[in-house]
Amino acid sequence: MLRLPAFQLLRPATVAEATHMLAELGPQAAPLAGGTDLLPKMKRRQLQPRYLVSLRGLRELRGWSGSPEQGLVLRAGCTLAEVAAQPAVRSAYRALAEAVAVCSNPILHRMGTLGGNLCLDTRCTYYDQTEHWRQALGWCMKAPGPRTPEEVPCRVAPGGSRCWAVSAGDGAPALIALGAKVRLVGARGERVLPLEDLYRDDGIRYLDKSPDELVVEVLLPPADGLRSTYRKVRRRGSLDFAALGVAAAVRQDPDGTVTSCRLVLGGVASRPLVLEEVASLLVGQRLEQEVLERVSEAVYRAVHPMDNTDFTVLYRRRTAPVHVRRALEALAS
Amino acid sequence: MERAVRLKVNGQEHRVLVPPHRTLLEVLREDLGLVGTKHGCELGECGVCTVLVDGEPALSCLVLAHEVEGHEVTTVEGLATDGQLHPVQRAFVESGALQCGYCTPAMVLVTKALLDRVPEPSGEQVREAVAGVFCRCTGYVKILEAVQAAARRLREARA
Ligand SMILES: Cc1cc2nc3c(=O)[nH]c(=O)nc-3n(C[C@H](O)[C@H](O)[C@H](O)COP(=O)(O)OP(=O)(O)OC[C@H]3O[C@@H](n4cnc5c(N)ncnc54)[C@H](O)[C@@H]3O)c2cc1C
Ligand code: SF4
Ligand code: FES
Ligand code: FES
């Protein structure tokens, strides 16, 4: 059996209590939500927190409020199944509904939470392996085993000084395209920030937050005519993480002219890749072949995946423009 | 820290001394002797460790035993009553929906959970329900047939 390392399980009753526990224990502790990312990683000894702070009992993290007209608030403890079933998400925030639907599989949907999905660890072929596999290779910078990160190279880009592990969650690109913000609560207070600002371009320190800060809410702006979609490239129709995720959201005038556009890719960088310049090519245009052609070329130039996920780098780079285009075509029709 | 945990499994209360890092799968198999729940990848990928927690499928390899206190756990051992197989189990046997049988406890449980919610599932709903459990033998066709056969049996039993 692949067993968990020993740890202590703490069960706070409120978010405030949880954040104080996390602040006191520092990097030795981790929040435990559905555990569907954290526990497999602990079994493989990629992560070994000595304390797990269970968020399961926190009522403050349950449920949702609002509407597509006012804006929707989804609390971090909602399971992915609850998010997918939420009527406003299904009707007005399609990219999120579609992203959650293609996440993992239906059993994991009922276990995994929205907060856990947004804080998902980054992924890499050389990291998501058992301890023995990684030891045989001599470890890597992100999980250096008994050594220090300075002593071991990155296996993907050995000459460099950073980790290129990939942000492969499905929720984040969709929510960023939809203009979502997140509310973080820490031991010293709370703050609201655009979701894209939660992520850093670093495979090791991939979240721009302190260890005691919890994601408590996702705030979606009023839908206001926004139309959106999410596409995912993976080997199997279920279970696999995204080798590529494409979230697109557009607002159009009645004559079809695009007034605003957001394009966000998952699976190609250490953070969700927001294609701001590419999206700006669409503003003031209709979603017609000639414009889509230019957008495709710009996507190809903007995407530089590293060789550390499923499929070849060349395939992933070439497939990105194809799927951005298909997403936009779906929104045009 | 080891602590006595009260687990309700198949309607029966158990008190087990368990440290927090032990999974429900380990406790079911090793402490309670309920080896009907299988272990495969232990990483949330294969689904053969599926049990029902409050009637819904959950992967017991990724659930801490401490976290299911106060919840109802159902394993495959809890389905038969008075020595009679559950209609879903009978449908699996009669449809030839098992070969090695390793995935069967999980398949039977996800089927039960589906049919408890949706008595007349579409083909798509059935495929979605079993998508979380790997079967390396049958090629799934017989399993999909068994789920529909089980649905018919349960509807007839209710009528
Ligand atoms: C086989 C398999 C396939 C999967 N496929 C996909 C997939 O296709 N797409 C995908 O996106 N995910 C996938 N996942 C990952 C996972 O199931 C989901 O992302 C899930 O939503 C994670 O949520 P969780 O509650 O289980 O997170 P946990 O495992 O509990 O936590 C994940 C991380 O987030 C931290 N955390 C949790 N909640 C909070 C919070 N509120 N505030 C701050 N930090 C927090 C934890 O400390 C941990 O570091 C897969 C997992 C498995 C096992
Ligand atoms: S990108 Fe490099 S350092 Fe990061 S996980 Fe992969 S091999 Fe390790
Ligand atoms: S043993 Fe639990 S999913 Fe494979
Ligand atoms: S019958 Fe052998 S794995 Fe399904």
Side-chain angles (χ1 to χ4, degrees):
Chain A
M1 280 237 191
L2 208 51
R3 293 181 198 268
L4 285 166
F7 54 81
Q8 287 198 34
L9 183 65
L10 305 175
R11 294 156 165 258
T14 62
V15 167
E17 201 185 327
T19 56
H20 283 100
M21 284 174 174
L22 289 165
E24 204 165 297
L25 297 166
Q28 314 180 67
L32 172 72
T36 61
D37 187 49
L38 188 56
L39 298 181
K41 299 224 159 178
M42 288 173 65
K43 287 188 175 186
R44 297 194 209 94
R45 305 300 191 265
Q46 291 160 271
L47 303 169
Q48 293 201 55
R50 292 178 47 205
Y51 300 88
L52 293 187
V53 177
S54 173
L55 307 182
R56 220 169 267 204
L58 304 182
R59 295 184 142 226
E60 294 153 89
L61 296 185
R62 310 289 312 168
W64 53 275
S65 60
S67 68
E69 293 74 34
Q70 304 160 336
L72 193 67
V73 179
L74 298 168
R75 284 187 268 286
C78 289
T79 63
L80 298 183
E82 286 163 354
V83 173
Q86 214 281 331
V89 170
R90 295 168 73 95
S91 65
Y93 304 100
R94 291 293 311 167
L96 178 59
E98 291 171 11
V100 169
V102 294
C103 214
S104 57
N105 70 40
I107 302 178
L108 285 159
H109 279 174
R110 294 199 194 86
M111 303 171 68
T113 65
L114 182 60
N117 187 252
L118 297 181
C119 297
L120 199 66
D121 195 3
T122 50
R123 299 180 57 79
C124 169
T125 322
Y126 299 92
Y127 170 64
D128 292 296
Q129 302 287 351
T130 59
E131 189 177 26
H132 303 302
W133 192 102
R134 290 179 292 115
Q135 181 185 25
L137 187 74
W139 316 103
C140 83
M141 204 188 291
K142 183 166 161 81
R147 303 164 73 183
T148 66
E150 293 71 35
E151 289 173 331
V152 274
C154 165
R155 300 288 162 184
V156 182
S161 58
R162 62 161 287 183
C163 162
W164 295 90
V166 168
S167 162
D170 292 300
L175 281 164
I176 293 171
L178 291 166
K181 294 183 174 168
V182 278
R183 187 187 303 280
L184 304 182
V185 175
R188 280 173 303 171
E190 63 171 74
R191 58 191 175 118
V192 173
L193 67 163
L195 177 58
E196 65 224 68
D197 293 347
L198 180 62
Y199 301 103
R200 302 178 75 237
D201 187 19
D202 179 341
I204 295 172
R205 289 200 48 229
Y206 57 95
L207 292 179
D208 204 358
K209 70 172 193 62
S210 62
D212 63 295
E213 281 183 307
L214 289 175
V215 173
V216 297
E217 280 176 352
V218 174
L219 310 158
L220 281 156
D224 192 20
L226 193 70
R227 297 173 59 232
S228 63
T229 188
Y230 183 78
R231 300 179 65 84
K232 177 170 177 173
V233 176
R234 56 176 162 180
R235 202 170 285 270
R236 296 169 290 188
S238 169
L239 207 63
D240 289 336
F241 277 90
L244 172 73
V246 174
V250 296
R251 219 171 251 122
Q252 287 164 288
D253 275 347
D255 73 348
T257 307
V258 173
T259 56
S260 72
C261 174
R262 302 265 283 168
L263 293 172
V264 188
L265 306 188
V268 292
S270 293
R271 52 171 298 167
L273 189 65
V274 183
L275 297 174
E276 222 160 297
E277 272 178 43
V278 180
S280 70
L281 295 174
L282 286 157
V283 176
Q285 309 284 331
R286 291 196 212 164
L287 297 172
E288 285 165 352
Q289 290 310 319
E290 193 202 329
V291 184
L292 296 184
E293 205 59 54
R294 271 193 287 141
V295 166
S296 295
E297 284 163 21
V299 171
Y300 183 74
R301 284 195 302 272
V303 172
H304 304 281
M306 300 294 278
D307 194 5
N308 59 352
T309 72
D310 199 4
F311 299 114
T312 63
V313 178
L314 191 61
Y315 174 78
R316 284 162 59 215
R317 189 162 181 216
R318 285 197 178 150
T319 207
V322 175
H323 285 273
V324 169
R325 187 178 178 141
R326 287 185 191 163
L328 292 168
E329 281 168 353
L331 291 176
S333 61
Chain B
M1 240 184 320
E2 213 162 62
R3 175 167 79 75
V5 179
R6 293 158 79 99
L7 291 179
K8 193 160 182 202
V9 183
N10 301 329
Q12 224 184 314
E13 289 265 0
H14 300 268
R15 282 192 55 154
V16 207
L17 265 185
V18 196
H21 63 274
R22 294 197 76 215
T23 61
L24 177 60
L25 174 65
E26 290 162 352
V27 172
L28 287 172
R29 291 182 57 90
E30 296 166 1
D31 296 63
L32 304 183
L34 294 171
V35 293
T37 307
K38 301 302 175 211
H39 66 108
C41 66
E42 283 149 34
L43 295 168
E45 291 168 12
C46 72
V48 300
C49 66
T50 302
V51 298
L52 305 184
V53 177
D54 298 331
E56 291 292 351
L59 303 175
S60 63
C61 71
L62 297 187
V63 173
L64 303 178
H66 280 220
E67 298 264 85
V68 287
E69 253 192 323
H71 298 269
E72 299 254 348
V73 177
T74 308
T75 69
V76 70
E77 289 92 345
L79 293 188
T81 37
D82 304 329
Q84 292 286 312
L85 290 183
H86 186 277
V88 173
Q89 291 172 302
R90 284 225 301 283
F92 269 69
V93 174
E94 285 164 17
S95 309
L98 50 140
Q99 288 178 25
C100 79
Y102 207 75
C103 69
T104 312
M107 287 291 184
V108 164
L109 287 168
V110 295
T111 302
K112 178 180 184 305
L114 171 72
L115 299 181
D116 284 347
R117 257 184 307 121
V118 190
E120 221 166 322
S122 67
E124 186 56 35
Q125 283 171 315
V126 174
R127 276 196 298 280
E128 201 188 298
V130 304
V133 186
F134 285 2
C135 175
R136 300 292 80 163
C137 304
T138 65
Y140 296 95
V141 174
K142 293 285 178 193
I143 291 174
L144 303 181
E145 285 172 17
V147 178
Q148 295 295 4
R152 276 195 302 278
R153 264 177 187 281
L154 286 166
R155 286 202 300 275
E156 281 162 18
R158 275 194 209 106

